[in-house]
Amino acid sequence: MAAADKESLPRPGASPAPTAQEYALWMSPASIFSRQHLMQDVEGERATLPLAAYCFMTGFIDSICFSAIFVWCAFQTGNTVQLALALARLFQGPPGQRDTSFHLADKQALTSVLTFVFGAFLGRIGDRMGAKTRAWLFLGTFIQTLFTMSAAVTVWKSGQPSTADARSDPAWSNALTYVTIGFMSASMGLQGIMGKRVNTQFATTIVLTTVWCELMADPKLFQLRRVVSRDHKVIGIVALFIGGFAGRAILDKIGSAGALGVGTGIRLLISVWWLFVPGKQTQTMK
C-alpha cells in the first residue's frame, strides 16, 4: 500500500461509521506498530476496559500479599501509619523497658513503601515519551508484567507458604520474600502513576477510598440514565472486588507463585490491549 493511502486512513471513532476495509487497514500490523500510531495519545474516556483491568490487578495483587503478611502492596496509607506506630513505640513505657526492636511486619511495610515509591518514580519516564501515548502505556504495563513475573519467581524460590493464620506469624519471612514484596509493590507504584496520568474517573486505579468518596458525592448518583462520572467509579470498585476474590481463590488452589504467574499473564494481555485503544478524536493522522 502506498504511503499516501496509509496516511489518509481514518481511525475507528474518527468517523461515525468506518467501513470494514478501513477498519481492517487501521488494525493491520503495519499500522499498529507504526511510530505515528504508537506515539498517539489514547482517549481516556475510551480506555475503560484496560483501566478496569488495572483495578482488577490491584485487588488481585493485594489479596496475595495480604494473605501472606497482612501488608498491602498498593494501599500505602496503612503501611505509612504502621511505620509511624513503629516509631511511636520507641517512646512507649519507662526508659530501659521500651521496645526498640524493628518488628518483621514493620520491615515488610517499609520495604513495600520504598519499592512502591521507586515504581512510581519509574512512571516519570512516561512524561518524556508522552504519558498517554500507546507506546508508553504498552511499555509501562509491560514493565509491570516483568515485575510481577519476578515476584512469582522469587516467592517460588523462597519455598515459603502462601497464607498466614495470624498477624503475629506472617507466612513470608526470608530474604527472597522481601524481594517478592518489593517487586509486587513496585509494579503497583508504576500502575498507580500511569493510571493517574491517563486522568479519568478511575483515578490512580489503586487507591479507591477517594473514588468511594467521589462516588457518594456525585450529584448524579441516583440518576437512572448512563452517567460516566458515576458508572466508571462503580466499574473500578467492582473490578477491584472481583480481583481480590479471584486472587484469593487462585491462591488457595495453586499457591502464591502460581497466582502471581496468572497475574503476569493478565498484565501481559493488558499491555497489548493498550495498542488497540482508540486515540483522541481531535488528533489526526499525519
Side-chain angles (χ1 to χ4, degrees):
M1 180 183 293
D5 293 333
K6 290 183 180 180
E7 292 174 354
S8 62
L9 288 177
R11 298 174 296 100
S15 59
T19 66
Q21 182 181 9
E22 290 171 341
Y23 190 84
L25 290 172
W26 185 82
M27 295 290 286
S28 67
S31 297
I32 290 174
F33 293 103
S34 67
R35 176 179 174 82
Q36 185 173 359
H37 180 84
L38 293 175
M39 298 309 296
Q40 184 185 31
D41 286 358
V42 301
E43 177 60 66
E45 296 302 323
R46 306 179 73 181
T48 302
L49 293 179
L51 289 173
Y54 268 6
C55 294
F56 174 91
M57 286 307 302
T58 299
F60 191 94
I61 294 294
D62 265 338
S63 67
I64 297 172
C65 187
F66 190 80
S67 295
I69 59 175
F70 301 99
V71 168
W72 305 109
C73 284
F75 308 144
Q76 296 304 323
T77 301
N79 294 337
T80 303
V81 173
Q82 182 173 335
L83 292 174
L85 295 176
L87 181 61
R89 197 164 50 239
L90 298 176
F91 305 96
Q92 181 180 355
Q97 299 181 14
R98 294 172 180 171
D99 183 3
T100 58
S101 61
F102 199 29
H103 296 182
L104 177 60
D106 301 331
K107 296 176 184 178
Q108 292 168 334
L110 179 61
T111 301
S112 181
V113 170
L114 293 178
T115 51
F116 180 93
V117 172
F118 169 75
F121 184 78
L122 286 180
R124 299 188 70 87
I125 297 173
D127 295 341
R128 292 186 174 273
M129 294 181 60
K132 296 183 182 182
T133 60
R134 295 187 183 96
W136 166 242
L137 291 169
F138 167 80
L139 176 61
T141 308
F142 186 71
I143 295 173
Q144 296 172 35
T145 303
L146 295 179
F147 283 154
T148 309
M149 180 182 67
S150 300
V153 172
T154 53
V155 75
W156 171 58
K157 285 292 187 179
S158 73
Q160 297 211 291
S162 301
T163 58
D165 296 326
R167 288 179 179 268
S168 58
D169 186 25
W172 297 350
S173 58
N174 64 18
L176 281 176
T177 55
Y178 277 93
V179 178
T180 300
I181 297 167
F183 279 127
M184 295 169 70
S185 298
S187 72
M188 297 312 305
L190 180 55
Q191 176 186 307
I193 194 170
M194 290 178 65
K196 180 63 177 177
R197 289 289 196 263
V198 177
N199 193 28
T200 65
Q201 300 297 329
F202 289 91
T204 64
T205 72
I206 56 175
V207 181
L208 296 192
T209 303
T210 302
V211 175
W212 271 109
C213 293
E214 291 178 351
L215 175 63
M216 294 299 103
D218 195 317
K220 300 179 181 179
L221 177 62
F222 298 108
Q223 291 191 11
L224 298 180
R225 63 182 178 85
R226 180 174 179 270
V227 179
V228 172
S229 63
R230 175 201 61 196
D231 297 347
H232 283 191
K233 292 183 180 71
V234 172
I235 291 172
I237 292 168
V238 171
L240 184 140
F241 182 88
I242 295 174
F245 179 87
R248 179 63 195 221
I250 295 172
L251 173 70
D252 287 339
K253 290 294 184 181
I254 59 177
S256 54
L260 285 170
V262 172
T264 299
I266 296 173
R267 278 208 155 123
L268 181 60
L269 292 176
I270 299 172
S271 65
V272 175
W273 204 338
W274 282 115
L275 297 176
F276 300 93
V277 175
K280 290 186 176 180
Q281 296 187 15
T282 56
Q283 295 181 336
T284 57
M285 298 187 74
K286 299 181 181 179

